[in-house]
C-alpha cells in the first residue's frame, strides 16, 4: 500500500489523479504487515484520494495459503466495508464472498487461475456498471 499511497500523492501533485479510482490492493500488507499498520495505510490512501472523486475498493479473497489466511481476509474486508460506510464517495466491490460462493480457484497460494482472473474482472465491471446505471 505504501506504493499506492506514493503513486496517488504524485498523481495528485501533477493534477493527474482521475475522477474515478479503483483500488485493488492490500493483499501483500495482509500477508506481511500488522493490522494496525494496514488500517493506517488504508486510511492514508483514502485521505490522499480525498472526498471529491469516486472510489471503488475491491475487497479480497484468500486462498488460506502463503500467510494470507481466511481470518486476515475477513478482517481486511471488514475494514473496506467500514470505510465505505464512513465515506460517501467510497464503494466496496464485494469480491471475497462473491468469489467464495462461486468457487474461484487459485493458480498458487496467492494468485487466481485464468478463470479466476476473468471472474475478478467481470465482478469489478459489474459493480462499476451498476453504480454508473448501465
Amino acid at each position: 500500500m505504501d506504493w499506492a499511497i506514493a503513486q496517488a500523492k504524485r498523481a495528485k501533485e501533477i493534477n493527474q489523479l482521475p475522477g474515478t479510482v479503483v483500488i485493488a490492493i492490500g493483499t501483500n500488507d495482509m500477508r506481511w504487515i500488522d493490522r494496525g499498520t494496514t488500517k493506517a495505510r488504508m486510511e492514508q490512501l483514502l485521505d490522499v484520494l480525498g472526498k471529491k472523486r469516486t472510489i471503488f475498493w475491491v475487497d479480497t479473497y484468500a486462498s488460506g495459503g502463503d500467510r494470507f489466511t481466511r481470518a486476515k481476509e475477513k478482517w481486511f474486508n471488514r475494514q473496506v466495508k467500514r470505510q465505505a460506510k464512513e465515506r460517501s464517495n467510497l464503494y466496496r466491490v464485494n469480491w471475497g464472498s462473491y468469489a467464495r460462493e462461486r468457487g474461484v480457484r487459485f493458480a498458487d497460494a496467492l494468485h487466481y487461475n485464468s478463470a479466476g482472473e476473468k471472474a475478478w474482472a467481470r465482478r469489478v465491471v459489474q459493480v462499476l456498471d451498476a453504480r454508473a446505471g448501465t
Side-chain angles (χ1 to χ4, degrees):
M1 260 191 262
D2 286 339
W3 177 86
I5 293 165
Q7 295 301 308
K9 284 181 178 178
R10 177 70 178 134
K12 196 171 190 177
E13 287 171 5
I14 61 175
N15 201 28
Q16 290 187 348
L17 197 54
T20 300
V21 177
V22 177
I23 303 171
I25 197 163
T27 305
N28 286 343
D29 272 59
M30 287 310 302
R31 289 173 56 225
W32 300 102
I33 310 297
D34 64 272
R35 290 177 178 185
T37 301
T38 298
K39 183 177 177 181
R41 287 175 175 174
M42 293 172 81
E43 291 171 355
Q44 184 180 5
L45 177 57
L46 292 169
D47 288 345
V48 169
L49 295 173
K51 297 178 180 184
K52 293 182 180 178
R53 57 195 38 83
T54 302
I55 305 167
F56 293 90
W57 196 315
V58 184
D59 72 15
T60 192
Y61 171 51
S63 68
D66 195 37
R67 296 172 299 280
F68 188 41
T69 64
R70 174 80 170 106
K72 288 179 179 179
E73 171 199 324
K74 288 172 73 173
W75 179 87
F76 187 88
N77 292 349
R78 278 195 309 270
Q79 302 313 303
V80 175
K81 189 175 184 177
R82 181 183 58 81
Q83 287 290 341
K85 284 182 181 178
E86 294 175 5
R87 298 174 187 253
S88 62
N89 64 321
L90 174 62
Y91 302 93
R92 174 178 166 236
V93 177
N94 183 350
W95 165 244
S97 60
Y98 178 92
R100 184 161 282 101
E101 289 168 5
R102 285 154 183 78
V104 169
R105 310 282 259 165
F106 290 79
D108 58 30
L110 191 58
H111 303 98
Y112 309 121
N113 64 16
S114 180
E117 290 172 351
K118 289 175 186 172
W120 184 92
R122 280 192 306 272
R123 178 62 175 161
V124 172
V125 169
Q126 177 186 40
V127 172
L128 270 66
D129 280 350
R131 178 72 192 139
T134 58

